[in-house]
Amino acid sequence: MIDHVERRIGDLTIRIDRLLCVGFGDCIAAAPEAFAFDDDGIVAFLDTADRTGREELIRACQACPVDALTAFDNEGRRLAP
Ligand code: SF4
């Protein structure tokens, strides 16, 4: 099983840690065009993720109660959580 996936969205890199995600869905509520559950009940990127704004993505990463989502800037600095 792949333990994490990353996607570049604007100047951010968003990482999903698939081993940490427990499926609460707070990130989906915060950024519904960026994230959805996959068949395993773990959060995944949507094809529409590019439409989500920077602040919304950072808020979604901060919303995760188990820190399964991380946002980095284009110099690799962690912005959230
Ligand atoms: S908020 Fe965190 S635990 Fe919940 S679905 Fe999103 S990544 Fe998974």
Side-chain angles (χ1 to χ4, degrees):
M1 174 169 151
I2 299 168
D3 62 353
H4 73 270
V5 288
E6 287 186 353
R7 182 168 297 190
R8 179 118 182 145
I9 304 171
D11 75 326
L12 298 178
T13 298
I14 307 294
R15 177 187 296 168
I16 298 172
D17 187 322
R18 293 180 51 84
L19 298 180
L20 286 179
C21 176
V22 289
F24 286 126
D26 301 43
C27 60
I28 297 171
E33 284 195 313
F35 304 109
F37 290 123
D38 67 11
D39 292 342
D40 298 322
I42 294 172
V43 82
F45 292 108
L46 288 173
D47 291 340
T48 52
D50 288 346
R51 291 190 213 149
T52 302
R54 191 177 197 277
E55 295 308 314
E56 196 175 335
L57 288 167
I58 290 172
R59 272 200 302 276
C61 293
Q62 288 168 335
C64 178
V66 293
D67 294 348
L69 295 178
T70 315
F72 300 93
D73 69 11
N74 56 12
E75 291 175 9
R77 285 183 295 236
R78 192 167 89 181
L79 302 179

